[in-house]
Amino acid sequence: MNRLTVFACESQPIVLAGLATILERCEDLEYLGSASSPTEALERIRERDPDVVLVDQSAGLKTVFQFLSDVKNTSARCQPVLWVNDLAEIDCFRALQIGARGILKKSLAIEFVLECLRSVGRGNVWIESSLSDHVSGSFDRRSSPRLTPREKEIVHHVCAGLKNKDIAEALTITAGTVKVHLMHIFEKTGVKGPFRTRRTRAPASRHRAPRKHRAGRKRALKLLVFETGS
């Protein structure tokens, strides 16, 4: 039997001890260890190449989203699962679009944790059903009628775990068109924070943002829309 290997990016020893105990009881799952920070976790992923990595959100969403992108560039095999206490709907959407293959709440029963790991390890996307409905339903409630029918279709496909190329094939459009729709979706839903994609002209000012900050905003926009699985 080929065992699915699991690594964790988690800083709480008691959580890790519980995870290790659970996985030791499973014949089809193997625990490869943990790292307390995303930087250390990337090094271990390069060394051990696990099937699944559980990612805690305590480092902050900006860092976690960057980590998801880095994992994607580091290992074609390793599939990230966000292991969270709670996550806003728009952040679930962004995480899936960046590369998360699962969103797992820490409050779920052990059976669901194992189900998620097995499903993601086999190449599927796993989101607890009520959370998945909450994500797509929230867009329906809050964005209608602002989102077009096509944009709503794309939201539902993203929540199902499809990448840009797959969405394009499903809707018989180009991957470039999917990216344009995603840009519009993020703008209409008002994505905020370090990864905001709203393109508004700043008021005229003699004091421009430092060059590194301007570059960071451009990089965040590129990360969300143009490097998300075309």
Side-chain angles (χ1 to χ4, degrees), residues 97 154 163-183 225-230:
Q97 184 62 18
I154 289 176
K163 297 182 179 180
N164 290 359
K165 181 179 179 181
D166 301 322
I167 295 173
E169 292 177 356
L171 300 180
T172 320
I173 57 179
T174 67
T177 300
V178 173
K179 293 173 184 177
V180 171
H181 282 305
L182 285 170
M183 176 73 77
V225 182
F226 295 101
E227 292 184 348
T228 52
S230 59

Side-chain angles (χ1 to χ4, degrees), residues 23 30 57 64 72 87 98-99 139 174 177 207 225-226:
L23 296 182
E30 180 182 358
Q57 70 183 116
V64 168
K72 180 179 177 182
L87 199 63
I98 292 170
F139 276 97
T174 67
T177 300
H207 304 289
V225 182
F226 295 101

Side-chain angles (χ1 to χ4, degrees), residues 69-90:
S69 179
D70 291 340
V71 169
K72 180 179 177 182
N73 294 327
T74 298
S75 171
R77 173 180 177 178
C78 185
Q79 304 299 317
V81 172
L82 278 187
W83 201 18
V84 301
N85 294 313
D86 197 13
L87 199 63
E89 298 94 338
I90 186 63

